[in-house]
Amino acid sequence: MAHKVRLTVLDTKCYPELQRQYCADPEAGPCPCYNAGDVFEFDSRRDDFWNMGLGTLVSTSADPGKVAGGPSKPHCSEAWDAFSRYIYAGLQGGSIMKGWMTEENTMITCCSDGTRPVIFKIERIDEDDEV
């Protein structure tokens, strides 16, 4: 059986009061790397994972060349740190979050940028191998 992992951006948050108080750029604004609704697909039959998801973008409302995971740049390191272990587990056919989520092949996570976190849904997709 082959496995894919779909990564979907559910939401992007921004906390301007925290940015004004703590960031070097007090007007940093929302994350420039992702947009709500962006969809990425990783496939166990390709090298997607080993290239930090470069080229995994399948759907966006923005310029694909400016989205992390698009054709021009890999995923943001803060986001990659948050979800890469779950993508790897899913690509191997493993459970992503058994006992925590209603479905063991799905997880909700977010990056660690405290002033502009991005919220992701991770889904393992199982496919029969073609013979």
Side-chain angles (χ1 to χ4, degrees), residues 78-112:
E78 291 300 314
W80 187 252
D81 187 51
F83 57 65
S84 63
R85 72 196 87 198
Y86 304 107
I87 289 174
Y88 186 78
L91 289 173
Q92 306 308 310
S95 173
I96 296 175
M97 204 37 80
K98 186 174 184 176
W100 182 252
M101 305 300 289
T102 56
E103 297 178 4
E104 74 174 59
N105 70 326
T106 302
M107 180 182 179
I108 306 300
T109 191
C110 67
C111 75
S112 61

Side-chain angles (χ1 to χ4, degrees), residues 22-128:
Y22 296 105
C23 291
D25 177 1
E27 302 299 321
C31 175
C33 299
Y34 300 100
N35 308 281
D38 288 349
V39 178
F40 308 87
E41 283 191 1
F42 293 78
D43 191 320
S44 62
R45 296 164 286 202
R46 297 189 312 243
D47 286 341
D48 301 337
F49 184 83
W50 304 110
N51 296 302
M52 285 183 66
L54 181 67
T56 56
L57 179 68
V58 295
S59 176
T60 185
S61 60
D63 176 354
K66 295 182 179 180
V67 175
S72 305
K73 59 184 179 177
H75 284 277
C76 160
S77 60
E78 291 300 314
W80 187 252
D81 187 51
F83 57 65
S84 63
R85 72 196 87 198
Y86 304 107
I87 289 174
Y88 186 78
L91 289 173
Q92 306 308 310
S95 173
I96 296 175
M97 204 37 80
K98 186 174 184 176
W100 182 252
M101 305 300 289
T102 56
E103 297 178 4
E104 74 174 59
N105 70 326
T106 302
M107 180 182 179
I108 306 300
T109 191
C110 67
C111 75
S112 61
D113 187 332
T115 71
R116 55 185 184 187
V118 177
I119 301 160
F120 299 92
K121 178 169 82 170
I122 305 166
E123 303 168 272
R124 185 191 75 228
I125 301 164
D126 303 325
E127 296 183 342
D128 290 328

Side-chain angles (χ1 to χ4, degrees), residues 13-20 23 29-30 113-117 119:
K13 300 289 186 187
C14 184
Y15 300 99
E17 67 281 1
L18 293 174
Q19 289 181 344
R20 284 190 296 276
C23 291
D113 187 332
T115 71
R116 55 185 184 187
I119 301 160

